[in-house]
Amino acid sequence: GHLSLTFSFQRADDQMHDHFGFQLGITGHPSGAETVQGWIHNTFPDEDDPLGWDTQIPAEPTINFAYTRTWKSKPADIGGLQMELLPELGFDVGSVLIDARSAMTLRIGKNLPSDFGPASLRGHRDHTVRTNEASESNWSLYAYTRLGVDLIARDMFIDGTAFSSSRSAQREPLVGTFTFGVVLQYESFYLGLSQSTRTERLDLQPDNQAFGSIVFGTSFAW
């Protein structure tokens, strides 16, 4: 289990977006993950009791820093639709994760918003901050694909904790993720649906990991 609090700062102009993240947390029993999973399984009577918590990683404070820069191309008009590319580079460093990241997002649709791509549940790196450019419409609909590659030097959840002895596994140093999705925005409201496939993170992992996500939110100005 891992319980964390993340502080983030974002800045953007018309062509570039920077995200800075600082995370403090705790692993092991104090995180409360065992209690939360047990409560969820007890809520649904057909689910088995979760096992394996006797071998979870030990209690340890964690600290991590993340940085991501995203660029956006000038939209191109194709058959009445807009298309743009959003390349991305970033890294994480700390006791939880040390890696370098790269990604490319292609999106195509109507009235592309003046943001930096679809929102993500991963790592609180939300690119939905808008630029200074005013949108021409109060609604937007687009589809997107995203291909990301992570070069991983350390992953606490696979390599074990940094300051105490714990179990570990053989980690894959290179992990790729492919995502496709659809985003609908109306005024300040956002709805995103996506499906992702990720290559093996463990040497003994039998297959790729597939998962979907739904993101709904709204934004407002102070």
Side-chain angles (χ1 to χ4, degrees), residues 6 24 33-34 61 76 96-97 104 113 122 128 132 147 151 155 162 185 187 190 196 217:
T6 300
L24 296 173
E34 179 181 2
V96 178
L97 184 64
M104 176 68 75
R122 179 188 177 193
T128 58
N132 296 326
L147 178 62
L151 181 62
D155 185 336
Q185 291 182 237
E187 294 184 347
Y190 177 100
S196 300

Side-chain angles (χ1 to χ4, degrees), residues 117-131:
S120 170
L121 296 178
R122 179 188 177 193
H124 306 281
R125 289 185 287 272
D126 186 358
H127 288 184
T128 58
V129 60
R130 290 178 177 270
T131 69

Side-chain angles (χ1 to χ4, degrees), residues 1-3 25-34 52-62 95-96 154 156-168:
H2 184 219
L3 177 66
I26 186 74
T27 63
H29 183 73
S31 71
E34 179 181 2
W53 284 106
D54 291 339
T55 58
Q56 70 170 307
I57 56 179
E60 183 174 286
T62 64
S95 63
V96 178
R154 169 176 168 75
M156 177 188 68
F157 305 107
I158 301 176
D159 296 310
T161 47
F163 306 111
S164 57
S165 177
S166 65
R167 292 172 179 253
S168 62

